[in-house]
Amino acid sequence: MVCCGPQAVAGVQEPVAAPPKTMAPTTANGNVDPEFALAPHPTIPKPEGPVLVVILDGFGENEFKDEYNAVHVAKPPLVSKLQGVAKRSRTLRAHGTAVGLPTDADMGNSEVGHNALGSGQVVDQGARLVDIALQTGGIFESEGWKHISEAFEHNTLHMIGLLSDGGVHSRYDQVVQTLKGAVERGAKRVRLHVLTDGRDVPDGSSIQFVQQLDEELAALNAKHGVDCKIASGGGRMFVTMDRYEADWDIVKRGWHAHVLGKAPNQFKDAVTAVKTLRGPEDKKVSDQNLAPFVIVDEEGKAVGPVQDNDAVVLWNFRADRMVSISKALEWKDFKVFDRERVPENLKFAGMMQYDGDLGLPKNFLVPPPEIKKVSGEYMVKNGLSTFACSETQKFGHVTFFWNGNRSGYFDSKLETYLEIPSDKVQFNEKPDMKAKEITDAGKEALKSGKYQMVRINYANPDMVGHTGDLNATVRAVQTVDQCLGELLATADEVNARYLVTADHGNADDMVQRDKKGKPLMGESGAPLPLTSHTLAPVPAFVGGKGLPDSVNFRDDLPKAGLANITATMFSLLGLQAPSHYEPSLI
Ligand SMILES: O=C(O)[C@H](O)COP(=O)(O)O
Ligand SMILES: [Mn+2]
Ligand SMILES: [Mn+2]
């Protein structure tokens, strides 16, 4: 168990332990800053015990209630019981425009979900901000663009990122538009380093994305007389896209393939690379786990290592899985692994700035969403203490994303963030993950009497759901249900009030379907697994011994979404939420 101080905020601090960081201290004389002071709730009294907030990551309430819905199959006794409590159970919108995404065809995800849950506001998210910057041309006027364009004439532009149209971390059409924008503005030599997905999009779809990109590159080369090629790649969960420092080897493999041009697998073209690395039909490696590869020329030489004076753009807009590789690319004194060769005078930019507090990366093409006056800031400025806990895979979700993509604490005297280290396995092998340890920590925090709010994220339904393994996901749901039961029992012992919800769907549908919802079968007759999130709404429950019987969900907010949770949390604390927050559900 990793405990407490700011050093525990994995993925967001320099490798050298930094002194405790306080982002926004309460006023020196202890009075509440008037700009942040919250009035008592007009009808809900202040609680005697703590408020417990639980996020069941990836636990949706899906309209398809059949054998492919792991939540339905699991028949979780506690959640089913909570669903039956009149006026204290409802669902919330967790996708599309309700969480700041471009359209209602966009599934929700942890970044936008936790941003909404923690900030009470719906803001335009990265996907939409990049769309706007491309439409207006603002991206090509940015300081970040000026920085990378210095390499266009005589050096190589490298573009690295997730290649799919999942819309969670990146989008294919945005990559192509950015690439074309570079070529039209003078880039002569471009090398693309592609991370295959199969996690936000169906497994096996990477071959089409790579093929499509190769065709796009051939057309650009013919039209503009330029030299654009795919240079390296690998599966997103095995190469480059680690998060929260869960496994630096993932980042190191990416550094080797993209920057040094070194990988155990070498191919003449990327389509052959993906096809070969996926392996034979009966033992397929999924797109997300493909081994790293480099593309080599006739002499066997890598076609696109990063050289001195080159430019590098990371095209993902989402932060969590770009922070580690950004540190490797940007930090001069980076010491986590031996980079062997560090290109000099590199012109590096992110699609966005991924960590505003660290200023990482320094150069970026589109300013990130501005999520201001989030609940964490109100909490500390009103003297309220918080305990937040998850395992590594979701630790930054319940801290960094919750706090509007801020690393560190608002006030380390009032906040404790506890990270339980995740196992380094594919999570269908261990579907219980660290739920038990998280539960124990949550129970201890509830009983300690030290915290006004205890905030927990259970990773299982999401992380196991992403493997596409139905049976393991059923187990994941059952585990979380049991752990939640223990947590709520302890909550009752200390007269707590609870709020249980989720950030988006995932476990609630494990099969690809046609437009009418009919499950799709593969050539072998087996169902085609769904590894991505779903568009399903998520449950929300309130209750607990400490909650007066008269407090129930309102019935005049049928379209409410995740952002309504934040004001609800303040209501449970007996306070009136800030007026710019979406209204309270109770
Ligand atoms: O990064 C991931 O694991 C997936 O793309 C999205 O999952 P998350 O939004 O639940 O983290
Ligand atoms: Mn999630
Ligand atoms: Mn997920």
Side-chain angles (χ1 to χ4, degrees):
M1 212 180 268
V2 178
C3 190
C4 308
Q7 290 83 350
V9 187
V12 292
Q13 88 278 12
E14 300 210 17
V16 182
K21 186 172 168 196
T22 295
M23 290 185 288
T26 40
T27 49
N29 59 10
N31 292 333
V32 178
D33 176 347
E35 202 193 327
F36 284 88
L38 296 177
H41 194 281
T43 55
I44 304 176
K46 285 219 167 119
E48 281 167 28
V51 170
L52 169 67
V53 178
V54 184
I55 314 301
L56 310 175
D57 211 296
F59 193 114
E61 217 170 293
N62 209 296
E63 59 176 311
F64 299 118
K65 298 207 181 340
D66 59 20
E67 76 249 57
Y68 302 109
N69 176 336
V71 174
H72 175 74
V73 177
K75 296 198 180 16
L78 179 74
V79 168
S80 309
K81 192 170 136 206
L82 295 176
Q83 279 165 332
V85 181
K87 299 190 176 173
R88 287 189 164 184
S89 162
R90 63 164 295 159
T91 57
L92 296 170
R93 293 171 68 217
H95 76 286
T97 49
V99 284
L101 292 170
T103 74
D104 283 335
D106 293 307
M107 61 202 173
N109 67 70
S110 292
E111 178 181 51
V112 301
H114 283 78
N115 282 171
L117 290 165
S119 75
Q121 305 155 64
V122 181
V123 300
D124 278 351
Q125 287 286 348
R128 179 148 164 70
L129 295 175
V130 174
D131 280 344
I132 294 169
L134 284 163
Q135 272 157 25
T136 60
I139 189 171
F140 307 119
E141 306 296 322
S142 67
E143 287 304 311
W145 189 269
K146 285 185 197 138
H147 182 59
I148 59 162
S149 61
E150 285 171 30
F152 286 2
E153 179 71 27
H154 302 293
N155 299 91
T156 302
L157 166 66
H158 298 264
M159 296 178 60
I160 305 175
L162 183 66
L163 190 72
S164 80
D165 61 4
V168 173
H169 294 267
S170 66
R171 255 199 8 243
Y172 181 85
D173 61 316
Q174 294 179 348
V175 179
V176 171
Q177 285 182 61
T178 310
L179 166 69
K180 282 188 177 160
V183 168
E184 282 159 10
R185 286 164 183 77
K188 303 256 179 319
R189 193 170 184 271
V190 186
R191 292 292 178 264
L192 292 104
H193 306 264
V194 301
L195 301 162
T196 52
D197 191 345
R199 186 173 174 91
D200 299 327
V201 291
D203 183 41
S205 60
S206 283
I207 292 172
Q208 284 126 52
F209 289 114
V210 170
Q211 230 154 16
Q212 216 178 321
L213 182 61
D214 261 346
E215 284 162 21
E216 200 78 60
L217 296 174
L220 267 182
N221 290 342
K223 182 169 172 202
H224 296 273
V226 289
D227 168 19
C228 304
K229 282 192 180 83
I230 297 179
S232 74
R236 54 172 286 175
M237 297 304 280
F238 196 60
V239 181
T240 306
M241 279 176 60
D242 184 37
R243 69 174 164 210
Y244 309 142
E245 302 180 12
D247 185 354
W248 274 104
D249 281 344
I250 296 173
V251 187
K252 188 173 166 186
R253 282 182 209 109
W255 181 270
H256 276 230
H258 317 319
V259 179
L260 305 180
K262 294 203 295 198
N265 305 287
Q266 308 184 343
F267 297 93
K268 292 273 153 47
D269 70 276
V271 172
T272 309
V274 174
K275 279 188 181 157
T276 313
L277 293 173
R278 272 181 66 80
E281 199 52 52
D282 55 333
K283 282 202 267 147
K284 278 248 177 292
V285 178
S286 59
D287 288 347
Q288 29 179 337
N289 296 318
L290 292 189
F293 64 86
V294 294
I295 305 301
V296 292
D297 61 17
E298 293 306 321
E299 281 85 51
K301 212 167 136 242
V303 301
V306 182
Q307 308 292 5
D308 295 351
N309 306 311
D310 282 355
V312 171
V313 169
L314 298 179
W315 73 60
N316 288 15
F317 43 73
R318 175 163 149 174
D320 56 347
R321 295 189 184 276
M322 289 289 105
V323 168
S324 296
I325 184 72
S326 295
K327 288 177 181 174
L329 284 162
E330 184 144 297
W331 283 357
K332 289 223 162 27
D333 59 350
F334 177 89
K335 291 194 181 68
V336 185
F337 58 82
D338 179 9
R339 290 176 291 179
E340 294 179 29
R341 178 178 64 79
V342 181
E344 303 248 330
N345 191 27
L346 191 68
K347 279 120 188 129
F348 166 46
M351 180 61 91
M352 309 219 121
Q353 186 164 62
Y354 302 121
D355 186 326
D357 292 307
L358 294 178
L360 183 79
K362 188 162 160 269
N363 295 288
F364 49 91
L365 306 185
V366 181
E370 274 199 77
I371 313 173
K372 289 190 191 145
K373 294 186 134 184
V374 302
S375 59
E377 195 170 4
Y378 280 97
M379 290 290 289
V380 299
K381 290 195 171 173
N382 285 273
L384 300 167
S385 57
T386 296
F387 174 84
C389 174
S390 190
E391 60 178 278
T392 311
Q393 287 293 339
K394 299 289 175 186
F395 179 61
H397 290 30
V398 81
T399 55
F400 174 76
F401 285 155
W402 187 276
N403 290 334
N405 299 357
R406 286 177 184 81
S407 46
Y409 291 88
F410 283 105
D411 185 341
S412 57
K413 291 190 288 303
L414 286 167
E415 295 165 290
T416 301
Y417 295 166
L418 177 66
E419 174 189 0
I420 315 271
S422 288
D423 295 316
K424 293 182 185 177
V425 295
Q426 288 185 30
F427 293 106
N428 55 336
E429 289 167 22
K430 279 195 171 182
D432 292 351
M433 300 184 70
K434 294 295 180 214
K436 172 91 183 68
E437 290 81 347
I438 293 170
T439 307
D440 290 345
K443 283 158 66 176
E444 214 179 290
L446 284 168
K447 285 197 276 199
S448 71
K450 280 187 357 205
Y451 304 104
Q452 266 96 25
M453 190 212 273
V454 172
R455 189 165 76 232
I456 300 289
N457 175 304
Y458 286 116
N460 316 49
D462 181 64
M463 293 304 287
V464 186
H466 278 303
T467 67
D469 183 333
L470 174 63
N471 291 335
T473 310
V474 170
R475 166 81 192 200
V477 170
Q478 287 165 341
T479 301
V480 160
D481 188 72
Q482 201 188 336
C483 288
L484 180 63
E486 275 190 41
L487 211 49
L488 297 194
T490 304
D492 276 348
E493 282 170 30
V494 296
N495 226 7
R497 300 172 178 177
Y498 65 74
L499 175 52
V500 178
T501 190
D503 56 343
H504 52 76
N506 184 338
D508 46 283
D509 199 6
M510 299 295 295
V511 73
Q512 295 174 45
R513 298 177 188 266
D514 69 12
K515 286 211 172 80
K516 291 192 177 136
K518 191 166 151 253
L520 295 173
M521 302 297 144
E523 276 163 25
S524 67
L528 286 174
L530 183 72
T531 52
S532 69
H533 297 168
T534 68
L535 297 172
V538 297
F541 310 117
V542 287
K545 276 234 170 83
L547 191 65
D549 288 343
S550 57
V551 180
N552 291 304
F553 280 133
R554 299 160 55 165
D555 53 15
D556 60 341
L557 294 170
K559 294 204 173 125
L562 294 182
N564 295 79
I565 284 288
T566 332
T568 313
M569 205 174 73
F570 281 116
S571 302
L572 291 175
L573 286 161
L575 296 168
Q576 247 177 326
S579 57
H580 66 287
Y581 280 17
E582 295 296 320
S584 169
L585 299 165
I586 55 176

